[in-house]
Amino acid sequence: MGTDVLSLRMDHELLERLRRHAARRGMSVQDYVLRTLMRDDFDERFQTAVEETEKFYGPA
């Protein structure tokens, strides 16, 4: 699996908030942002799967 580069432009206040959140978890800002994006993507895919299951079987 290869990697690509994503460049973001953000204001100083947002970057500092991200640095604080990442530091609390002992992570780099890059790792923190990637983990957050992956978690959000998982949550969205999971919700879609639940909705599709409910369409097929009906609500619980």
Side-chain angles (χ1 to χ4, degrees), residues 1 8 11-13 15-16 19 22-24 28 30-31 33-34 36-38 40 42 46 49 51 53-54 56 58-59:
M1 178 170 87
L8 301 172
D11 65 22
H12 181 74
E13 182 180 320
L15 180 56
E16 287 305 311
R19 283 183 178 141
R24 277 189 236 139
S28 69
Q30 178 180 342
D31 289 340
V33 170
L34 286 174
T36 302
L37 290 171
M38 288 186 301
D40 186 57
F42 171 80
F46 181 77
E51 291 168 358
T53 300
E54 286 180 347
F56 187 75

Side-chain angles (χ1 to χ4, degrees), residues 3-59:
T3 61
D4 291 308
V5 175
L6 172 66
S7 178
L8 301 172
R9 184 178 303 268
M10 65 183 74
D11 65 22
H12 181 74
E13 182 180 320
L14 176 57
L15 180 56
E16 287 305 311
R17 284 183 22 220
L18 288 172
R19 283 183 178 141
R20 286 192 303 272
H21 287 289
R24 277 189 236 139
R25 291 161 178 79
M27 302 169 74
S28 69
V29 171
Q30 178 180 342
D31 289 340
Y32 178 78
V33 170
L34 286 174
R35 181 173 287 191
T36 302
L37 290 171
M38 288 186 301
R39 183 180 62 229
D40 186 57
D41 181 57
F42 171 80
D43 291 345
E44 187 175 310
R45 288 182 289 135
F46 181 77
Q47 183 60 40
T48 300
V50 168
E51 291 168 358
E52 291 298 316
T53 300
E54 286 180 347
K55 284 181 192 174
F56 187 75
Y57 291 107

